[in-house]
Amino acid sequence: MNLSTSDKLKVEVRGHTALVTIDNPAANTWDTESLPALRDLINKLNREDAIFALVLTGAGDKFFSAGADLKLFADGDPGTARTMAEYFGEAFETLADFRGVSIAAVNGFAMGGGLEVAMACDIRIAEEHAQMALPEAKVGLLPCAGGTQRLARLVGEGWAKRIILCGERVDAATALRIGLVEEVVPGGAALDRALALAEQVGGQSPGAVASCKTLIHSGRDIEIGSGLALERELFVELFSTEDQREGVNAFLEKRKPEWKNR
């Protein structure tokens, strides 16, 4: 199954999990090839009923991703800026809306667009040596791939301002304390931990997970009364799926469910 259109994104399917490795030496940067490839990859995975989770990591042990390739912006061309902003937006918003569970295994520096792609994932596991920052303002830019929006939602406005406006870099321990990552593990252990968590996802009904994710995300934008009504509506919708009947009957029959994602 050929899922990636770019050699800069390596894809390996492990059971119900797609392992995606950013592989663009030396710092796993994003460019005009890898960003559309990520968007197209997520769209393909959304059509694969057997894929329930996605794990994203970086090649090597130094960089998860250093973000955009700054050479693209050296000439100051607004047209290039608009194209890259659109590529970043399309890619990372498609990732954020992936119907399954996305987990970032942050195995090194996550800078700029590297941190933004991690924040577009549902869960972040960081190795203890990882460093995270949104340093765009230091080079006359700003985070255009969701950084100003997602960071504040994750860590609060105060820490978002420290990281973005003051150029503060945070280590893994600080990232855990402020809610930027969900877990810190020893060096070299993030991928295994992320894959184990993805395996847990495989024990859940993929349809139920997709509906739960929709509800969690919608809660950011609507008042609670509307959210509660949508919660009840999506609950009832699950009863039109095969997996709902399979899940309940497997429990009653004391056996492991066999999810069909339909």
Side-chain angles (χ1 to χ4, degrees), residues 59-259:
D61 56 10
K62 184 176 181 180
F63 287 96
F64 172 74
S65 170
D69 184 348
L70 287 182
K71 292 191 292 292
L72 293 167
F73 305 129
D75 62 2
D77 180 16
T80 298
R82 182 172 300 280
T83 297
M84 287 300 294
E86 290 173 354
Y87 279 166
F88 268 114
E90 290 172 359
F92 293 1
E93 286 161 31
T94 301
L95 173 61
D97 291 335
F98 171 57
R99 61 162 172 73
V101 177
S102 55
I103 305 168
V106 182
N107 58 318
F109 289 100
M111 301 293 169
L115 179 55
E116 287 173 302
V117 75
M119 291 193 292
C121 292
D122 298 313
I123 299 166
R124 285 151 295 281
I125 309 295
E127 295 183 7
E128 56 192 3
H129 65 276
Q131 299 276 322
M132 285 152 266
L134 292 177
E136 284 85 350
K138 290 185 177 181
V139 294
L141 303 174
L142 61 78
C144 74
T148 63
Q149 305 304 300
R150 291 193 175 97
L151 184 60
R153 285 170 168 80
L154 286 169
V155 305
E157 189 173 293
W159 265 104
K161 287 179 176 177
R162 282 182 64 165
I163 292 170
I164 297 173
L165 306 185
C166 301
E168 186 159 344
R169 182 184 296 188
V170 298
D171 59 19
T174 302
L176 179 64
R177 178 166 57 85
I178 66 178
L180 182 53
V181 303
E182 280 65 55
E183 187 174 348
V184 174
V185 296
L191 180 56
D192 285 344
R193 181 68 187 104
L195 288 169
L197 202 56
E199 186 69 19
Q200 288 180 226
V201 174
Q204 311 271 86
S205 159
V209 165
S211 293
C212 289
K213 182 171 172 176
T214 296
L215 288 162
I216 293 169
H217 285 186
S218 70
R220 304 166 180 165
D221 305 315
I222 61 178
E223 48 85 24
I224 190 168
S226 297
L228 292 170
L230 180 60
E231 189 178 69
R232 294 189 292 270
E233 181 180 333
L234 293 185
F235 173 75
V236 174
E237 283 187 12
L238 289 174
F239 283 74
S240 64
T241 67
E242 293 181 26
D243 279 349
Q244 179 276 321
R245 292 184 292 278
E246 169 65 9
V248 171
N249 284 288
F251 176 81
L252 294 174
E253 296 165 10
K254 296 181 172 57
R255 59 176 175 81
K256 187 178 179 179
E258 296 182 8
W259 304 120

Side-chain angles (χ1 to χ4, degrees), residues 25-44:
N28 296 330
T29 51
W30 294 100
D31 57 27
T32 55
E33 176 185 328
S34 57
L35 287 167
L38 178 64
R39 176 201 62 204
D40 295 344
L41 169 62
I42 302 303
N43 285 329
K44 289 178 184 176

Side-chain angles (χ1 to χ4, degrees), residues 15-27:
H16 294 297
T17 299
L19 170 59
V20 182
T21 303
I22 311 163
D23 189 4
N24 188 18

